Amino acid sequence: MVEPPSSHACTNPILYACMSRVNKCILLERGSSMETFFCTVTGIDLYCRIYWRFNWYQVIFRNVSQMPIRREHFLLSLVMAGGVVICCQVHRQVVLNHRLQSKQAQLMEPVRTDVLTVTPWLAPIVWEGTFDPQVIDEAFMSQNLTIATTVFAVGKYTRFLQDFLESAEKHFMVGLDVHYYVFTDRPGNMPDNVTLGVGRLLSIVRVPKFARWQEISLRRMELIQTAIKDHIHRGANYIFCLDVDMRFHSRVGPEALGRLVAAIHPWFYTYPRSQYPYERRTISTAYIPLDQGDFYYQANIFGGALEDVYRLTKTCREHLEVDKSVGVEAVWQEESHLNWYLLRNKPTKLLSPEYVWDDAKERDAKEIKLVRFSSVIKNKAEVRENL
């Protein structure tokens, strides 16, 4: 390492610290008023890191402005500053590519051997340990994405809204823009002390009162489809449809994004498909035979690209209306129709039960390494009043 001799000691301590850390630096000139140096190719990586740490362009121009120098010195400083900026951008991309390549190499060995991580149609199933959060964040954060998020807080369910929003602000799509669309019949019950982060918005969508709690479930697909068509499509890239009586416990980030995303139900993921609570009556448009079915999906969380979710909600709405016209109501309302749709339109990404856990279920399952989003324990008979 080349360092300035004591007889030509650098008067700027920050500049001196930079120079002393750079590997194989070459002093081009030692004038009485300035030291100018250039980093060789073998030291460029460390040079770029020093730029970010010490705000290098300010160091260069501060010394230039304080010292009488020749014109060529000033031009050299400008060239160095511009070169450092380019080098640092290249360096960041190289680091990202290296991480991606490293992770691909590791995929030659299973990251989880205790659970299914890929479906038979090659859609990934997201579990703890199957992705690198840092790589995922770096890949998505620069895309300026907005995630529309629908949540229904109708009747007494408004009581869950504050906890939902506060936990979402800590764990849901942190670092991305999120626009919450709260569907409610009681705007006056909205919490007024929830602080939203930068790039996070909340809009209220007024909905009518319903005669039964099942009607809320039955109308949800229609209301989401209408909202996407009327205004959500203008300001979002993805959409997630969530239940309000839930709480975030840990990261639910861009690893969950995909064209069509569904969550595996925490109560049925170990069951044979013949025991899934599908709609089994042939009279319903949600009918699924005993020998069919991939997984049982929960309607607490589903989402994807706007156009894909629009098609899903439109189809489910149409089927719900057909059922209603013949006096049929699927066993689990919109969830039954959601499962019918996803059986015939395979999701491109599945979220493991970590993303839709139930607090009433014991957490001693060895395959559940981290609960991220869960249904809170409640008195269903009390909150599901007839409105």
Side-chain angles (χ1 to χ4, degrees), residues 96 133-147 173 175-176 238 251 253-258 349:
L96 176 58
Q134 188 173 8
V135 171
I136 290 290
D137 288 345
E138 288 191 19
F140 280 90
M141 293 304 177
S142 62
Q143 298 183 32
N144 298 319
L145 299 175
T146 296
I147 316 301
M173 299 295 169
L176 298 177
Y238 294 90
R251 171 198 171 101
E255 77 279 356
L257 297 177
K349 181 174 289 186

Side-chain angles (χ1 to χ4, degrees), residues 222-241:
E222 171 193 347
L223 293 168
I224 294 172
Q225 180 209 351
T226 302
I228 293 174
K229 180 180 178 181
D230 289 349
H231 47 268
I232 293 179
H233 75 276
R234 294 193 293 266
N237 308 97
Y238 294 90
I239 183 171
F240 268 95
C241 308

Side-chain angles (χ1 to χ4, degrees), residues 181-314:
Y181 292 88
V182 179
F183 294 73
T184 183
D185 61 331
R186 300 180 179 182
N189 289 3
M190 293 288 296
D192 56 5
N193 57 346
V194 176
T195 302
L196 301 180
V198 176
R200 322 277 280 200
L201 302 173
L202 188 150
S203 296
I204 297 175
V205 181
R206 187 75 179 258
V207 297
K209 291 184 178 181
F210 298 103
R212 304 177 305 132
W213 69 265
Q214 292 93 335
E215 191 72 17
I216 303 170
S217 178
L218 291 166
R219 293 285 303 280
R220 188 159 73 136
M221 292 298 185
E222 171 193 347
L223 293 168
I224 294 172
Q225 180 209 351
T226 302
I228 293 174
K229 180 180 178 181
D230 289 349
H231 47 268
I232 293 179
H233 75 276
R234 294 193 293 266
N237 308 97
Y238 294 90
I239 183 171
F240 268 95
C241 308
L242 309 177
D243 277 5
V244 71
D245 54 334
M246 303 191 71
R247 189 177 193 279
F248 291 90
H249 303 276
S250 188
R251 171 198 171 101
V252 176
E255 77 279 356
L257 297 177
R259 286 198 60 106
L260 187 58
V261 181
I264 301 173
H265 201 295
W267 287 97
F268 300 103
Y269 68 95
T270 60
Y271 285 30
R273 63 186 176 188
S274 61
Q275 296 182 27
Y276 291 163
Y278 291 145
E279 174 55 68
R280 302 299 187 181
R281 296 172 296 170
T282 57
I283 194 174
S284 173
T285 55
Y287 166 68
I288 298 177
L290 284 172
D291 61 346
Q292 294 185 24
D294 303 311
F295 303 94
Y296 187 76
Y297 305 106
Q298 191 161 9
N300 291 13
I301 173 173
F302 64 91
L306 286 177
E307 60 186 65
D308 291 82
V309 176
Y310 180 81
R311 282 194 294 268
L312 182 156
T313 54
K314 181 176 183 292

Side-chain angles (χ1 to χ4, degrees), residues 338-365:
L338 174 72
N339 275 273
W340 181 93
Y341 183 90
L342 293 174
L343 174 60
R344 287 154 181 80
N345 303 270
K346 306 296 188 188
T348 60
K349 181 174 289 186
L350 276 66
L351 304 179
S352 70
E354 297 174 348
Y355 288 82
V356 65
W357 197 248
D358 191 335
D359 286 350
K361 185 177 174 63
E362 295 293 332
R363 296 192 183 185
D364 57 355

Side-chain angles (χ1 to χ4, degrees), residues 15-164:
L15 181 60
Y16 182 85
C18 293
M19 294 172 64
S20 61
R21 292 188 61 183
V22 174
N23 182 31
K24 296 184 179 180
C25 287
I26 302 175
L27 287 180
L28 299 182
E29 181 176 353
R30 296 196 190 101
S32 59
S33 59
M34 170 185 182
E35 290 87 13
T36 306
F37 65 95
F38 178 79
C39 185
T40 62
V41 173
T42 57
I44 196 68
D45 178 71
L46 183 56
Y47 187 92
C48 291
R49 281 180 278 158
I50 291 174
Y51 165 76
W52 289 107
R53 183 171 297 179
F54 293 99
N55 209 353
W56 182 243
Y57 72 94
Q58 292 186 6
V59 173
I60 291 176
F61 284 100
R62 185 184 302 118
N63 282 274
V64 167
S65 63
Q66 292 176 353
M67 303 176 184
I69 59 175
R70 293 193 301 272
R71 179 181 179 186
E72 55 268 26
H73 286 163
F74 179 70
L75 293 176
L76 178 60
S77 298
L78 288 176
V79 171
M80 290 172 60
V84 168
V85 173
I86 295 173
C87 290
C88 291
Q89 294 297 329
V90 172
H91 172 72
R92 293 185 67 190
Q93 187 61 45
V94 168
V95 169
L96 176 58
N97 291 340
H98 173 70
R99 288 174 181 161
L100 291 171
Q101 291 171 1
S102 298
K103 192 57 65 176
Q104 286 178 334
Q106 293 173 1
L107 284 175
M108 299 302 293
E109 300 178 2
V111 292
R112 290 283 297 267
T113 58
D114 57 332
V115 291
L116 183 68
T117 59
V118 180
T119 69
W121 61 93
L122 300 182
I125 305 176
V126 185
W127 297 84
E128 172 66 12
T130 61
F131 65 94
D132 185 327
Q134 188 173 8
V135 171
I136 290 290
D137 288 345
E138 288 191 19
F140 280 90
M141 293 304 177
S142 62
Q143 298 183 32
N144 298 319
L145 299 175
T146 296
I147 316 301
T149 306
T150 64
V151 56
F152 284 72
V154 179
K156 291 184 178 181
Y157 276 78
T158 55
R159 69 180 62 175
F160 301 109
L161 191 54
Q162 179 157 347
D163 193 35
F164 172 90

